[in-house]
Amino acid sequence: MALNTSAEAPLPVGEVSRLIGGWIDRLGAVWVEGQITQLSRRPGAGVVFMTLRDPSYDISVSVTCFRQVFDAVAEVVAEGARVVVHAKPEWYAPRGQLSLRAVEIRPVGIGELLARLEQLKRTLGAEGLFALERKKPLPFLPHRVGLVCGRASAAERDVLENARRRWPAVQFEVRNVAVQGVHAVAQVVQAVKDLDEHAHVDVIIVARGGGSVEDLLPFSDEQLVRAVAECRTPVVSAIGHEPDSPLLDLVADLRASTPTDAAKKVVPDVGEELDRVRQLRDRSLRSVRAMLDREERGLAHALARPAMEQPHRMVDEREAEVEALIARSRRVLGHLLDRADSELAHTRARVVSLSPAATLERGYAVLQRADGAVVRSPEDVSAGEELRARVSEGEFEVRVAD
């Protein structure tokens, strides 16, 4: 419950410690899992002191137990072992210190560890952290490679020597960390994050030599798996040997069977690349030569054609065709003009023979009244009426007799 305190009415340290102890005493016993990092068994002492640590979150808590509780598992439990403890939280008021009073200690067996890893694997897999579509491709030629490994380890030597032997110009950004024990997870996670934020690191290799299942547990830690899944830089897992398969192998963008294999997969071999360049250059040269030969044959075939051997022949042939067409056109046009002239003469003759002038020339005359109307019937005129007579050579006036 909340306390009413102020700067004028503070609580003494002892009272605060007593209240905290009262709250903690009301807590029940709990089962706690962790890794033993410190173990103190003083000869003749009835109490055993140890520190239980959570390697994933870098948190520790003190544990005490009676000697007979620890002696029951003393042969299988030592520093570095993972255990499950049934304990009651206690508060040591004089020092203001929290601890756990263990009444039972159980070592975590390999089978149980593997079962937990399998459950974690299923959980992370269901979240899609191991999906193939999340895998990022490795750069063909990384300028700088980030390497997370143990200090002066065989894994570091294998990666550096093999990579530089394959491509001498490659550069490394090395982060030496603990690769087993209680500090391994936190240090590896921090190193991976640092390298992922490094502007010039193109790919990250996490390498470690072989070891037991317990030794490789840090590389199956959930915190590390999630950190690698969040990386923008491609990550290569090179943990242990071929049979070893921590969860890091599943979330990494590429799994290498060994640190040496990682160096081979990340860095190209300069000799192989030079051979490939030579092969491509030879292939290109052969292709160019084949194309030139093909074009030369095509050109020779084209030059051998009659049109190319006698280039004016086609012009001469076309000239003869044009002249023949012109002559034919002239003949056809002449025939058409002659026929049209003949038809015109016949038509003219017919028109002339049927014209009034021709009729007048044959001795006929046309009588017209004063208004120009042609007299066609005797009834059209009257006695004494003056008419105009038109003949072939001219016209004259006539009078109708009474």
Side-chain angles (χ1 to χ4, degrees):
M1 57 187 301
L3 300 176
N4 295 323
T5 62
S6 65
E8 292 74 19
L11 287 178
V13 173
E15 180 64 16
V16 173
S17 181
R18 185 187 67 78
L19 291 173
I20 295 175
W23 294 332
I24 293 177
D25 285 341
R26 289 196 292 271
L27 297 176
V30 293
W31 287 97
V32 182
E33 181 183 354
Q35 189 173 18
I36 298 176
T37 58
Q38 294 180 355
L39 180 61
S40 176
R41 300 173 60 191
R42 298 176 182 176
V47 178
V48 176
F49 299 88
M50 67 185 76
T51 300
L52 201 62
R53 188 181 187 88
D54 185 342
S56 298
Y57 297 97
D58 198 17
I59 298 176
S60 301
V61 65
S62 298
V63 179
T64 62
C65 66
F66 291 113
R67 192 175 190 88
Q68 58 268 28
V69 174
F70 185 81
D71 288 344
V73 294
E75 295 183 358
V76 293
V77 171
E79 287 190 6
R82 296 179 71 94
V83 295
V84 175
V85 176
H86 191 213
K88 174 74 169 60
E90 290 185 346
W91 179 258
Y92 186 59
R95 295 184 180 177
Q97 182 177 355
L98 175 67
S99 64
L100 299 176
R101 170 71 69 170
V103 296
E104 184 180 356
I105 301 175
R106 296 181 184 179
V108 178
I110 298 298
E112 188 174 357
L113 285 176
L114 294 178
R116 293 180 185 178
L117 289 180
E118 187 62 29
Q119 178 61 36
L120 179 60
K121 177 181 176 180
R122 289 195 294 269
T123 301
L124 298 178
E127 295 181 19
L129 267 63
F130 306 149
L132 293 179
E133 54 268 21
R134 291 177 56 93
K135 307 297 183 183
K136 296 178 285 294
L138 270 61
F140 166 70
L141 181 58
H143 176 70
R144 187 181 297 271
V145 178
L147 176 61
V148 181
C149 59
R151 185 178 301 277
S153 62
E156 178 180 5
R157 184 179 63 254
D158 290 345
V159 172
L160 295 180
E161 290 182 357
N162 283 279
R164 287 168 177 163
R165 187 181 300 118
R166 292 171 63 83
W167 197 276
V170 67
Q171 300 180 18
F172 278 89
E173 192 73 25
V174 181
R175 296 288 186 273
N176 293 124
V177 297
V179 292
Q180 68 183 59
V182 294
H183 302 289
V185 174
Q187 293 185 14
V188 173
V189 169
Q190 187 60 46
V192 169
K193 290 182 178 180
D194 290 345
L195 292 174
D196 186 44
E197 295 175 357
H198 198 293
H200 301 293
V201 171
D202 301 319
V203 62
I204 300 172
I205 300 176
V206 182
R208 186 202 190 283
S212 63
V213 175
E214 295 89 340
D215 293 338
L216 300 182
L217 280 178
F219 300 97
S220 293
D221 187 87
E222 181 178 357
Q223 186 181 1
L224 176 59
V225 171
R226 294 189 182 278
V228 171
E230 294 173 358
C231 284
R232 298 183 301 271
T233 308
V235 178
V236 177
S237 174
I239 306 301
H241 302 297
E242 182 66 36
D244 301 322
S245 182
L247 297 185
L248 179 62
D249 287 351
L250 302 178
V251 73
D253 299 294
L254 179 68
R255 176 189 182 267
S257 57
T258 62
T260 300
D261 184 48
K264 293 180 179 180
K265 290 183 176 179
V266 170
V267 180
D269 184 88
V270 63
E272 294 178 357
E273 296 307 318
L274 288 175
D275 289 340
R276 186 174 290 109
V277 169
R278 283 192 291 269
Q279 292 174 5
L280 291 174
R281 185 176 59 190
D282 294 342
R283 180 180 175 183
S284 301
L285 184 59
R286 289 194 300 270
S287 298
V288 171
R289 286 177 176 173
M291 182 179 65
L292 291 176
D293 293 341
R294 183 174 61 253
E295 296 302 323
E296 286 181 355
R297 289 193 298 271
L299 182 59
H301 178 70
L303 292 176
R305 299 179 62 181
M308 298 301 294
E309 288 184 346
Q310 299 177 0
H312 295 288
R313 178 178 177 181
M314 182 174 63
V315 177
D316 296 338
E317 292 177 352
R318 296 297 179 270
E319 183 182 8
E321 293 178 0
V322 170
E323 291 177 353
L325 290 174
I326 292 174
R328 180 180 176 185
S329 300
R330 287 176 176 173
R331 289 195 301 273
V332 171
L333 182 60
H335 293 323
L336 292 176
L337 291 176
D338 293 341
R339 185 170 61 186
D341 182 66
S342 177
E343 291 178 354
L344 181 60
H346 289 297
T347 303
R348 183 174 178 278
R350 290 175 60 189
V351 170
V352 170
S353 63
L354 296 176
S355 66
T359 302
L360 293 177
E361 288 181 356
R362 291 198 297 270
Y364 293 92
V366 177
L367 295 177
Q368 293 179 311
R369 300 174 68 181
D371 58 1
V374 176
V375 178
R376 301 181 181 278
S377 173
E379 288 80 8
D380 293 338
V381 297
S382 58
E385 184 179 356
E386 293 183 356
L387 300 177
R388 185 182 298 277
R390 183 179 179 180
V391 294
S392 175
E393 297 297 332
E395 60 183 26
F396 56 88
E397 293 182 354
V398 297
R399 185 183 298 274
V400 181
D402 296 332

